[in-house]
Amino acid sequence: MSAPDPESQPIADFKSRLDLFRLLCQAAAALAVLTLGWILYEIIYGAWPSINKFGWNFLTTAAWVPNREKFGVLPFIIGTVASSGIAILLAFPLGISIAIFLNENFLARPVRQTVRFVVEMLASIPSVVYGLWGIFVVIPLVKGFGDWATVHLSGVPIFSGPAYGNSLLTASIVLAIMILPTITAISRNSLAAVPHTLREGAYALGATRWEAILGVIVPSAAPGLVAATILALGRAMGETMAVAMLIGNSSRLSWSVLSPSGTLAGLLANQFGEATGMQVNSLMYAALILVLITLLVNLAGEAILRYTQRKTAGIH
Amino acid sequence: MDNIGTHSLDFFKTDKHEASRALSRSLQNRFLTLLCIALSLATLVPLVSIVILVLKNGLPLLSLHIFTELPPAAGMAGGGFGNAIIGTLVMVGIALAIAAPVGILSAIYINEYAPISRLAKTVRLVAKLLTGIPSIICGVFAFAIVVMRTGYFSAYAGGVALAVLMLPTILLTAEQALTGVQSAYREASYGLGATRFQTIIRVVLPDALPAIMTGIMLAVARAAGETAPLIFTALFSQYWANSLSEPTASLSVLIYNFSTVPFPHQIQMAWTASLVLVAFVTAANIIAQTAFSRKH
């Protein structure tokens, strides 16, 4: 018996055999990548007649009259930006302070874990349940505030009357609660990634706890906090059901946060089911704008997050 | 002597400005701590309010026949939402059947076969971007590729929309699960003469399975609560579904439809449906985080 030949049959077989499973996995990965392109292609394809007909005017016209084939989404773009902007203004201070709270040891661990659990629970409640809750809790509150504000703050344009329950403010408040988990989770991660030595250095120089937090820890984590805010903005812009149920879905432009408004996502939710002809194409066009805005916002957030992670990598 | 005494006493005589500065810094510190605690505990308010209202308004109608009967017509009493529960389960099932294989196989490719290839980097970026895509866009996509091509609203269309929504979650968590498998296991397997395929199927996947299941349960929990992708793909139905190619009811769309009608009974049913939905989603989340946790 001689030693086996290195080029013997089994090994050659093994080398030349096509790895079918590898191909299958590769195909799945390619499909996952193609999905994004496919989504964009289908939306552009569906929107094409409307893009041809209205062009850029679609973005700058304030008219949505399906039976006269007049379409322009300016009010909905403004409503999307305004509602998510106000939501960020409300959620940012809350989210950052929860992140700081979870990162410090003000209260005992069980309390912190409860707060953390509650914030995570907020993320898991379905959007439509927020909508239902908003109808019965937030709308009456905002209506009450609005009735008061239109009388006592009548000089301020954003509080001009008449006050409605289904308003920009209502939608923004509920949106703020919904994006709180996003802001908190990402901010907390970036605060926790700040090296301990920086905090110890600040204490050694005689800083109080909050001087260390605000002067050293928060600035070091700042890019992460910005990324958290941007990613939350992206979520708020795409949020559909709760907003569609609370904002009033109006295409009228108004300065007041107490009047009904509309968002791109809400427009799609309300009209897609019964749309025909050019209305479908125009809704696809609106969907295209929404996708492009959210993709852009998310890319920016992702880029900042990566930059932060590279910056803090390796420091302990 | 006196001089030394006064000097050393001077040391203890604190500067008035210094003392007031220290006091104000300390007060500021206290104030900010209290503010931070107050703001953090304030987040309890909306959650507690939601939970109480869902229980208070949802429990009275909760009974066995709510799971077995059809939704009542406008203004009518009685009924249930059995078809909506089945519809939600069926559509989440269709979505899972599409998204789980694609997601897990992609994760195997980008973690086991070609972790630093350009395709792998693209897959990771695309998956991140897909997580950020508004859920209603998944609905628009399914509307374009299923509803517009077939000409009718269907459970398939809803399933496709939910599949797009689930894909990035399953893919990214599966990748993390595979990363968590120690490379010593793989090396031992190769050392015993196993092929790459055998290593992946017999060693890597079994070890990563609990974490992959966690990802799948999280995706199921998210998809079950979504309304926007279903509202113009599966639409809604008052009746039991006979096939997958007809409009199909779901719990979330039922809540949406019933929340905007002027009939108290329907609104109460929306609350009961919310209770069932929140219970289901919470259960799925808890199972995801406890039952499949890795025991190492």
Side-chain angles (χ1 to χ4, degrees), chain A residues 48-168:
Chain A
W48 198 246
S50 180
I51 297 177
N52 265 332
K53 188 166 176 201
F54 301 110
W56 292 109
N57 287 335
F58 191 70
L59 303 178
T60 52
T61 316
W64 192 272
V65 195
N67 45 18
R68 284 199 218 144
E69 299 227 328
K70 280 172 68 181
F71 298 105
V73 287
L74 182 69
F76 300 104
I77 294 178
I78 293 177
T80 304
V81 173
S83 59
S84 42
I86 299 173
I88 288 287
L89 284 183
L90 297 173
F92 180 79
L94 269 178
I96 301 291
S97 49
I98 299 168
I100 292 175
F101 176 82
L102 294 176
N103 198 41
E104 300 286 326
N105 53 354
F106 298 134
L107 294 183
R109 187 177 283 271
V111 183
R112 276 182 281 154
Q113 269 168 349
T114 313
V115 170
R116 192 177 162 184
F117 174 75
V118 165
V119 175
E120 278 170 12
M121 272 288 286
L122 284 178
S124 72
I125 289 179
S127 176
V128 69
V129 176
Y130 275 110
L132 187 63
W133 175 74
I135 290 176
F136 290 93
V137 175
V138 186
I139 282 185
L141 287 176
V142 169
K143 179 84 174 81
F145 168 74
D147 288 337
W148 176 86
T150 43
V151 175
H152 293 90
L153 303 167
S154 54
V156 191
I158 61 164
F159 292 128
S160 58
Y164 291 87
N166 290 66
S167 63
L168 184 62

Side-chain angles (χ1 to χ4, degrees), chain A:
Chain A
M1 287 286 274
S2 59
D5 174 16
E7 290 300 313
S8 72
Q9 209 48 34
I11 291 180
D13 253 11
F14 173 72
K15 277 190 163 171
S16 67
R17 205 190 311 157
L18 204 58
D19 192 341
L20 277 179
F21 187 65
R22 183 196 167 107
L23 272 181
L24 187 68
C25 292
Q26 199 163 8
L31 180 63
V33 171
L34 283 179
T35 308
L36 185 62
W38 193 6
I39 292 174
L40 290 177
Y41 167 78
E42 287 291 345
I43 293 177
I44 293 174
Y45 180 80
W48 198 246
S50 180
I51 297 177
N52 265 332
K53 188 166 176 201
F54 301 110
W56 292 109
N57 287 335
F58 191 70
L59 303 178
T60 52
T61 316
W64 192 272
V65 195
N67 45 18
R68 284 199 218 144
E69 299 227 328
K70 280 172 68 181
F71 298 105
V73 287
L74 182 69
F76 300 104
I77 294 178
I78 293 177
T80 304
V81 173
S83 59
S84 42
I86 299 173
I88 288 287
L89 284 183
L90 297 173
F92 180 79
L94 269 178
I96 301 291
S97 49
I98 299 168
I100 292 175
F101 176 82
L102 294 176
N103 198 41
E104 300 286 326
N105 53 354
F106 298 134
L107 294 183
R109 187 177 283 271
V111 183
R112 276 182 281 154
Q113 269 168 349
T114 313
V115 170
R116 192 177 162 184
F117 174 75
V118 165
V119 175
E120 278 170 12
M121 272 288 286
L122 284 178
S124 72
I125 289 179
S127 176
V128 69
V129 176
Y130 275 110
L132 187 63
W133 175 74
I135 290 176
F136 290 93
V137 175
V138 186
I139 282 185
L141 287 176
V142 169
K143 179 84 174 81
F145 168 74
D147 288 337
W148 176 86
T150 43
V151 175
H152 293 90
L153 303 167
S154 54
V156 191
I158 61 164
F159 292 128
S160 58
Y164 291 87
N166 290 66
S167 63
L168 184 62
L169 185 61
T170 311
S172 306
I173 290 173
V174 175
L175 266 182
I177 300 171
M178 296 177 75
I179 60 175
L180 201 57
T182 310
I183 297 192
T184 309
I186 304 173
S187 310
R188 182 171 176 270
N189 281 345
S190 47
L191 286 176
V194 174
H196 285 295
T197 44
L198 290 185
R199 176 196 293 265
E200 285 154 14
Y203 284 161
L205 290 172
T208 62
R209 187 205 283 265
W210 278 93
E211 282 163 355
I213 293 173
L214 297 178
V216 176
I217 297 169
V218 167
S220 315
L225 305 187
V226 173
T229 313
I230 293 177
L231 290 172
L233 185 69
R235 264 215 65 190
M237 287 178 151
E239 186 47 60
T240 311
M241 295 323 293
V243 175
M245 290 162 84
L246 298 171
I247 204 166
N249 302 304
S250 155
S251 59
R252 294 236 319 263
L253 281 169
S254 163
W255 277 109
S256 173
V257 296
L258 301 170
S259 16
S261 179
T263 65
L264 288 168
L267 175 75
L268 297 176
N270 278 319
Q271 304 208 344
F272 233 114
E274 290 123 32
T276 48
M278 185 56 85
Q279 195 183 354
V280 174
N281 305 126
S282 300
L283 286 170
M284 287 280 191
Y285 196 175
L288 179 64
I289 296 165
L290 178 62
V291 170
L292 293 181
I293 296 177
T294 45
L295 275 184
L296 217 64
V297 168
N298 278 306
L299 264 177
E302 232 14 89
I304 296 176
L305 208 57
R306 277 192 191 187
Y307 164 82
T308 330
Q309 279 160 356
R310 205 171 309 144
K311 269 262 172 158
T312 52
I315 312 173
H316 294 294

Side-chain angles (χ1 to χ4, degrees), chain B residues 52 55 68 89 99 104 120 124 135 139 144 156 163 179 188 212 238 258 264-265 272 275 280:
Chain B
I52 289 180
L55 286 175
T68 57
L89 293 177
I104 295 173
R124 284 188 200 105
S135 60
Y156 289 122
T179 320
I212 293 177
Q238 294 282 344
F258 279 12
H265 179 70
T272 309
L275 177 62
F280 178 78

Side-chain angles (χ1 to χ4, degrees), chain A residues 14 21 26 28 42 97-98 101 106 118 124 128 132-133 137 180 206 210-211 240-241 245 270 272 291 298, chain B residues 25 29 33 36 39-40 43-44 49 53 106 109 113 132 136-137 143 145 149 195 227 232 259 274 281 285:
Chain A
F14 173 72
F21 187 65
Q26 199 163 8
E42 287 291 345
S97 49
I98 299 168
F101 176 82
F106 298 134
V118 165
S124 72
V128 69
L132 187 63
W133 175 74
V137 175
L180 201 57
W210 278 93
E211 282 163 355
T240 311
M241 295 323 293
M245 290 162 84
N270 278 319
F272 233 114
V291 170
N298 278 306
Chain B
R25 283 173 69 203
N29 199 39
T33 302
C36 185
L39 286 179
S40 305
T43 49
L44 292 167
S49 161
L53 275 184
S106 310
Y109 184 76
Y113 282 109
I136 191 149
I137 295 300
F143 182 85
I145 68 165
R149 303 249 153 98
T195 64
T227 317
F232 47 80
S259 68
S274 299
V281 169
N285 272 322

